[in-house]
């Protein structure tokens, strides 16, 4: 098993892992024997400088193409795509306005204005500055700038990932629950602070029984950690019971621009931290794991509500990024904590196709364990390598939950 980071960092006798097999973690495996040699995934930004909304279609070789959402007038959007792929932009009438083909090293694509006065707008001038910055950033770093421009470095902390197998060991005073110490149903909104210490002792969550947690670096690029035994069986059952009452067909995109797609065939629902004292309790433990103040893990601060996801046989969520840039705001998803509530009997793992130089990585944790990854790099850019997928369920069903934390805040 990998040793604690301290022994390696201080020059102790520590043999560093060179690959996933060295970690000796059954939940991990490569996606491919060799690095990917086919088309390369990439993030792309679109900016519409016309004074009309346009419909976006991916050119899949058919006359109609694949519907990919709406890009509003004088606004922007972003997507996950591949080098060489093309997108067609149409008016409401169906008339084609332009066709854009994705190229390596180019992250931003412009639909030219139909009105010369648009060039005098702040949005247009800012985009021209952004294009110059993106060109310079790519030349200096060899990777595209995918985040909002301009953007400062993240204000939230990032766990160190100096080497594969590095471990961060924690003792959380938010112990694992074996029963309900709050004396109320899971739908109660009472605070966890209102329960007596004897109730917590009875349920195995007294201060004398802290939750011992370990974050293990399972990938450096992207920065991914495995967190085993994050939730107890009782906590999993509580979240599952609540989640079953909320799920419906999943969509892609956010807000008014969301739509159903064959790229995401699961069902999802949402649970508020304040909907249950048990949820509030586990959110406090999440804060320990993320090294973030629990006061920030509220939907009016830095965290979204807990998203419940359900996959049945054949369902999946194809490769995507959790961050995006519409050109409107620097606020973005900073990290993702995905907890496995009920793994599928076969399949249903989480993959990172671009990890390990293109060999990719597949993670199949047991119930109660979680995967933590950062969607943002330390310089504030979106991490292109954080591309991930919910792999198809081959047998049984899969339940899990996402916690997204934003930087600098959730907007």
């Amino acid at each position: 098993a990998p040793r604690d980071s301290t022994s390696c960092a201080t020059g102790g006798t520590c043999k560093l892992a060179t690959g996933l097999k060295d970690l000796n973690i059954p939940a991990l495996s490569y996606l491919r024997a060799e690095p990917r040699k086919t088309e390369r995934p990439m993030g792309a930004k679109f900016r519409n400088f016309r004074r009309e909304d346009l419909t976006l279609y991916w050119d899949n070789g058919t006359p109609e193409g694949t519907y990919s959402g709406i890009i509003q007038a004088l606004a922007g959007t972003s997507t996950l795509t591949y080098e060489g792929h093309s997108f067609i932009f149409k008016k409401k009438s169906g008339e084609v306005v332009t066709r854009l083909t994705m190229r390596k090293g180019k992250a931003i694509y412009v639909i030219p204005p139909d009105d010369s006065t648009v060039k005098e707008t702040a949005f247009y001038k800012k985009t021209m500055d952004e294009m110059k910055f993106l060109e310079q950033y790519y030349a200096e770093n060899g990777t595209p700038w995918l985040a909002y421009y301009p953007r400062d470095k993240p204000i939230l902390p990032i766990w160190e990932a100096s080497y594969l197998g590095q471990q961060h060991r924690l003792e959380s005073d938010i112990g694992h629950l074996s029963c309900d110490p709050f004396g109320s149903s899971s739908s109660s909104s009472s605070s966890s602070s209102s329960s007596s210490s004897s109730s917590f002792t009875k349920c195995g969550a007294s201060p004398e029984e802290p939750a011992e947690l370990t974050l293990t670096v399972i990938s450096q690029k992207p920065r991914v950690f495995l967190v085993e035994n994050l939730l107890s069986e009782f906590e999993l059952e509580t979240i599952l019971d609540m989640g079953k009452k909320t799920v419906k067909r999943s969509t892609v995109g956010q807000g008014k621009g969301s739509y159903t797609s064959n790229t995401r065939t699961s069902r999802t629902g949402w649970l508020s931290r304040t909907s249950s004292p048990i949820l509030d309790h586990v959110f406090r433990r999440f804060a320990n794991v993320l090294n973030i103040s629990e006061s920030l893990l509220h939907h009016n601060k830095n965290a979204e509500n807990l998203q419940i996801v359900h996959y049945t046989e054949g369902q999946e969520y194809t490769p995507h990024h959790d961050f995006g840039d519409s050109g409107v705001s620097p606020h973005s998803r900073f990290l993702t904590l995905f907890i496995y509530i009920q793994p599928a009997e076969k399949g249903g793992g989480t993959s990172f196709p671009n990890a390990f130089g293109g060999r990719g990585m597949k993670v199949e944790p047991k119930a109660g364990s979680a995967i933590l990854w950062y969607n943002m790099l330390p310089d504030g850019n979106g991490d292109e390598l954080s591309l991930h997928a919910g792999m198809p369920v081959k047998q049984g069903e899969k339940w899990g939950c996402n916690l997204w934390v934003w930087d600098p805040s959730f907007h």
Side-chain angles (χ1 to χ4, degrees):
R3 296 191 180 185
D4 183 80
S5 59
T6 305
S7 61
C8 294
T10 56
T13 56
C14 179
K15 182 179 180 180
L16 297 181
T18 59
L20 290 180
K21 289 185 178 180
D22 293 337
L23 298 181
N24 195 29
I25 300 176
L28 305 178
S29 61
Y30 291 112
L31 279 180
R32 312 173 190 89
E34 300 292 335
R36 178 200 299 269
K37 296 181 180 180
T38 57
E39 55 190 7
R40 180 175 178 268
M42 59 178 286
K45 305 179 181 185
F46 299 121
R47 299 291 182 263
N48 178 18
F49 291 116
R50 296 177 68 91
R51 295 186 183 276
E52 61 182 330
D53 294 352
L54 298 176
T55 306
L56 173 63
Y57 295 88
W58 168 56
D59 184 359
N60 63 355
T62 65
E64 61 276 6
T66 298
Y67 175 79
S68 301
I70 300 291
I71 181 169
Q72 296 180 333
L74 302 179
T77 189
S78 60
T79 190
L80 184 281
T81 183
Y82 294 82
E83 293 174 14
H85 282 206
S86 296
F87 289 88
I88 301 167
F89 298 81
K90 297 181 181 181
K91 298 181 180 181
K92 289 183 179 180
S93 64
E95 178 186 347
V96 174
V97 172
T98 190
R99 174 192 179 96
L100 300 173
T101 300
M102 307 297 100
R103 303 201 314 266
K104 181 180 179 180
K106 184 175 176 62
I108 192 166
Y109 299 82
V110 168
I111 297 97
D114 55 350
D115 178 348
S116 61
T117 62
V118 170
K119 294 184 178 181
E120 301 303 316
T121 63
F123 177 51
Y124 185 89
K125 293 178 179 180
K126 174 177 173 294
T127 301
M128 296 303 105
D129 289 340
E130 181 178 7
M131 292 178 73
K132 293 178 183 178
F133 169 78
L134 265 60
E135 183 177 347
Q136 179 181 354
Y137 186 88
Y138 185 82
E140 294 176 354
N141 298 278
T143 187
W145 179 271
L146 300 175
Y148 176 85
Y149 168 84
R151 197 202 188 285
D152 293 331
K153 295 179 180 180
I155 62 173
L156 296 176
I158 299 176
W159 279 114
E160 184 180 294
S162 299
Y163 55 90
L164 194 64
Q166 181 179 9
Q167 293 187 324
H168 303 282
R169 295 190 173 97
L170 312 172
E171 273 197 359
S172 171
D173 57 358
I174 311 300
H176 290 108
L177 296 176
S178 60
C179 60
D180 182 358
F182 308 102
S184 59
S185 66
S186 61
S187 62
S188 168
S189 59
S190 62
S191 169
S192 61
S193 62
S194 63
S195 295
S196 67
S197 59
S198 61
S199 297
F200 276 104
T201 301
K202 176 184 176 183
C203 292
S206 70
E208 291 75 27
E209 296 182 78
E212 296 186 358
L213 303 169
T214 301
L215 290 80
T216 301
V217 177
I218 57 175
S219 168
Q220 292 176 275
K221 297 181 179 181
R223 192 178 301 229
V224 186
F225 300 80
L226 179 64
V227 188
E228 296 187 284
N229 304 313
L230 178 57
L231 295 182
S232 69
E233 184 176 350
F234 172 77
E235 293 161 348
L236 292 173
E237 291 173 352
T238 300
I239 294 173
L240 182 59
D241 288 343
M242 296 177 68
K244 286 181 176 179
K245 301 172 184 176
T246 69
V247 292
K248 59 182 180 180
R249 174 66 192 272
S250 302
T251 60
V252 295
Q254 296 182 26
K256 295 181 179 179
S258 64
Y259 58 96
T260 59
S261 169
N262 289 334
T263 64
R264 190 182 193 189
T265 51
S266 61
R267 295 191 300 155
T268 55
W270 299 89
L271 296 176
S272 168
R273 171 178 175 174
T274 58
S275 65
S276 160
I278 295 173
L279 276 181
D280 179 73
H281 184 83
V282 298
F283 261 77
R284 294 170 187 269
R285 190 182 310 133
F286 294 161
N288 293 155
V289 167
L290 302 177
N291 196 26
I292 293 173
S293 169
E294 67 85 15
S295 65
L296 298 179
L297 296 190
H298 291 274
H299 68 272
N300 62 343
K301 292 290 185 65
N302 287 71
E304 296 182 47
N305 288 329
L306 194 66
Q307 186 193 59
I308 306 299
V309 294
H310 178 222
Y311 297 81
T312 56
E313 288 187 23
Q315 293 185 329
E316 63 178 322
Y317 193 177
T318 59
H320 61 282
H321 290 119
D322 281 351
F323 67 87
D325 173 33
S326 64
V328 176
S329 169
H331 302 273
S332 183
R333 284 174 173 169
F334 167 69
L335 64 78
T336 301
L337 181 68
F338 184 76
I339 303 104
Y340 272 71
I341 298 174
Q342 178 183 309
E345 294 176 37
K346 289 185 180 179
T350 300
S351 68
F352 294 85
N354 290 341
F356 294 97
R359 287 189 68 180
M361 175 178 68
K362 178 172 63 175
V363 192
E364 296 180 298
K366 62 183 180 181
S369 294
I371 312 168
L372 164 64
W373 66 88
Y374 290 91
N375 303 302
M376 193 176 291
L377 296 170
D379 66 359
N381 190 13
D383 187 358
E384 187 176 34
L385 297 181
S386 67
L387 183 78
H388 59 281
M391 301 180 72
V393 171
K394 297 180 179 179
Q395 184 176 328
E397 58 181 332
K398 167 187 169 182
W399 287 88
C401 54
N402 283 298
L403 178 66
W404 285 299
V405 177
W406 288 56
D407 185 285
S409 61
F410 176 40
H411 283 248

